[in-house]
Amino acid sequence: MSVLVTGAAGFVGRNLVANLYNIREGKNRTRPNLGIGQIFEYDVDTDPSLLKEYCQKADFVFHLAGVNRPKDVSEFMEGNYGFAATLLDTLRECGNTCPIMVSSSIQASLTGRYAGSEYGKSKLAEEELFFSYGQETGAKVLVYRFPNLFGKWCRPNYNSAVATFCHNIARELPITVNDPAVELELLYIDDLIEEMLDALEGKEHYDGRFCKAPITHKVTLGEIVSLLQEFHDQPRSLVMPEIPAGSFAKKLYSTYLSYLPAEAVRIPLKSNVDFRGSFTELLRTPSCGQFSVNVSLPGITKGQHWHNTKWEFFIVVSGRALIQQRRIGSDEVLEFEVSGDCIEAVHMLPGYTHNIINLSLTEKLVTLMWANEPFDPQRPDTFFEVV
């Protein structure tokens, strides 16, 4: 299947084209029934003479091209309705009635907060043009009214509040929020791309005469900014906010990270160093514990304590160690010799005093440690006792 993408250099276009290439090149195997051939990328800088060739060969058209920030409002109709008419005339000339997916906007609605905008008027006229074309030619026309979009590669300080917030907060620049209670309906770019690929397979989702991506999120500006501030603070607090599967928070965090400047990609961590080696906390979570890395110098024994409720995993990733555990009140000692050559996880059991001994006299021992709760200096639940 050959695919034409107009507006291929825009936010949605770039994400779509990248994913089409992933499928074509076998990097994305989640759609085994979708065979992608040629991908025709058309944008404002493309030689206009290529449009006819692309329209002749296309088996599906994603029409994403449009104008949303012109110098003059008259350019809305010219850039949106005008180019749409050119595209449809070219398809007619080529006798190509392949399916067309059209990107419109909630601003095309005759009701709501955006009703009556010049941009909305141009998109409404464009919608009707495509619907009429479908009735005239029998071509399958899929019109999507996008809500606010967010995700990687969206241009900040342009027409996306989320992109601007991510960009500025990542750089500790000021942001403006006039009313934190304002609610937005947001569509994540990866959810949109999945819907567009569904459409390519003939499995689009409808809402009346329009199509829609089935997953969107309604969030206030205040909630967005609060989450972004947590993400910004994470390298210092080491606290990873809750990001459940499919949640807005998870998608927003991925979006935020895509805006990090180079100097913020690397995170310095504080190591507690003494004669035995070092201990460095990596990450803590509100409900899923704490991750750390422990380095023991040759011949050193660490630990020699027990917990009432806290428990841990010790995972040696480099070196050789002996892990010993003894239940409080018992003389019986459990022993586990472990090595980075065969990575295993060993439970540190509640009610058992435990240690870890570097068996090498020349090499460091490196152990990844996970505890089921972050360390609380007010209630450490840690009691010294030699194994």
Side-chain angles (χ1 to χ4, degrees):
M1 177 184 294
S2 295
V3 179
L4 166 59
V5 181
T6 71
F11 168 45
V12 178
R14 289 177 64 196
N15 278 274
L16 174 62
V17 168
N19 281 277
L20 289 173
Y21 277 111
N22 282 341
I23 293 171
R24 193 180 80 171
E25 296 168 8
K27 299 173 184 177
N28 179 351
R29 299 189 179 96
T30 63
R31 294 181 180 266
N33 299 321
L34 188 55
I36 303 296
Q38 291 179 289
I39 302 169
F40 303 117
E41 301 177 47
Y42 191 91
D43 208 84
V44 66
D45 295 325
T46 306
D47 183 345
S49 66
L50 291 173
L51 184 61
K52 183 174 181 179
E53 176 190 342
Y54 295 167
C55 284
Q56 286 175 329
K57 297 179 179 179
D59 299 306
F60 194 104
V61 176
F62 288 102
H63 177 53
L64 308 176
V67 173
N68 54 28
R69 278 293 183 94
K71 295 180 179 178
D72 188 272
V73 293
S74 63
E75 296 177 42
F76 279 129
M77 196 62 74
E78 178 184 346
N80 293 324
Y81 181 90
F83 179 70
T86 299
L87 173 65
L88 294 181
D89 286 344
T90 307
L91 288 167
R92 283 192 191 92
E93 182 184 349
C94 296
N96 188 347
T97 58
C98 69
I100 307 175
M101 178 268 177
V102 182
S103 66
S104 187
S105 167
I106 56 174
Q107 294 195 40
S109 173
L110 295 176
T111 60
R113 60 188 295 198
Y114 300 110
S117 71
E118 293 302 316
Y119 173 69
K121 291 176 183 177
S122 71
K123 297 305 285 186
L124 180 60
E126 182 183 358
E127 289 176 358
E128 294 304 324
L129 184 67
F130 276 98
F131 282 129
S132 296
Y133 170 82
Q135 291 176 341
E136 170 200 335
T137 65
K140 185 177 183 180
V141 174
L142 310 174
V143 178
Y144 286 77
R145 283 184 169 178
F146 293 163
N148 298 279
L149 304 180
F150 74 105
K152 65 185 184 300
W153 306 339
C154 187
R155 181 177 169 184
N157 300 305
Y158 187 59
N159 63 351
S160 167
V162 173
T164 302
F165 290 166
C166 288
H167 176 272
N168 286 17
I169 289 174
R171 289 160 177 77
E172 300 186 351
L173 298 174
I175 61 171
T176 301
V177 181
N178 294 323
D179 184 355
V182 169
E183 185 178 71
L184 301 179
E185 182 181 9
L186 292 165
L187 171 56
Y188 183 50
I189 188 62
D190 288 2
D191 292 331
L192 172 57
I193 297 303
E194 287 303 308
E195 170 61 21
M196 294 171 78
L197 296 176
D198 281 346
L200 197 55
E201 292 189 302
K203 299 184 295 186
E204 62 277 357
H205 296 82
Y206 282 92
D207 183 13
R209 76 191 297 219
F210 297 98
C211 295
K212 66 175 295 183
I215 301 173
T216 61
H217 303 271
K218 291 186 176 180
V219 194
T220 66
L221 289 175
E223 289 169 336
I224 294 168
V225 172
S226 178
L227 279 170
L228 289 174
Q229 198 59 56
E230 286 188 66
F231 304 157
H232 169 271
D233 295 343
Q234 191 279 325
R236 287 186 285 272
S237 70
L238 298 183
V239 176
M240 179 63 63
E242 297 281 5
I243 47 173
S247 67
F248 172 73
K250 181 177 181 180
K251 298 168 186 178
L252 184 64
Y253 208 156
S254 293
T255 301
Y256 170 76
L257 291 177
S258 73
Y259 289 89
L260 286 181
E263 61 270 19
V265 174
R266 182 187 301 185
I267 302 171
L269 298 172
K270 179 184 177 182
S271 293
N272 299 296
V273 181
D274 61 21
F275 70 93
R276 301 171 302 165
S278 65
F279 180 85
T280 306
E281 184 180 355
L282 305 177
L283 186 70
R284 55 174 57 202
T285 69
S287 59
C288 295
Q290 172 184 4
F291 297 83
S292 307
V293 63
N294 184 77
V295 177
S296 300
L297 295 178
I300 289 294
T301 298
K302 283 191 173 185
Q304 307 287 43
H305 58 239
W306 64 280
H307 316 290
N308 281 310
T309 299
K310 180 183 294 187
W311 63 275
E312 300 159 297
F313 272 130
F314 284 7
I315 305 168
V316 170
V317 296
S318 179
R320 281 193 318 119
L322 177 65
I323 295 173
Q324 297 178 313
Q325 301 189 62
R326 177 177 60 80
R327 184 163 60 87
I328 298 304
S330 168
D331 294 330
E332 182 182 357
V333 176
L334 307 178
E335 293 192 336
F336 306 92
E337 189 169 332
V338 291
S339 166
D341 295 330
C342 180
I343 295 179
E344 302 170 279
V346 182
H347 284 101
M348 299 300 109
L349 305 173
Y352 280 69
T353 186
H354 51 268
N355 64 26
I356 182 167
I357 304 168
N358 186 350
L359 295 177
S360 173
L361 297 179
T362 58
E363 302 293 331
K364 293 179 180 179
L365 173 69
V366 181
T367 307
L368 178 65
M369 296 180 173
W370 175 84
N372 71 318
E373 59 185 39
F375 179 75
D376 180 357
Q378 301 303 314
R379 297 183 61 86
D381 189 14
T382 300
F383 311 99
F384 175 79
E385 184 159 340
V386 175
V387 174

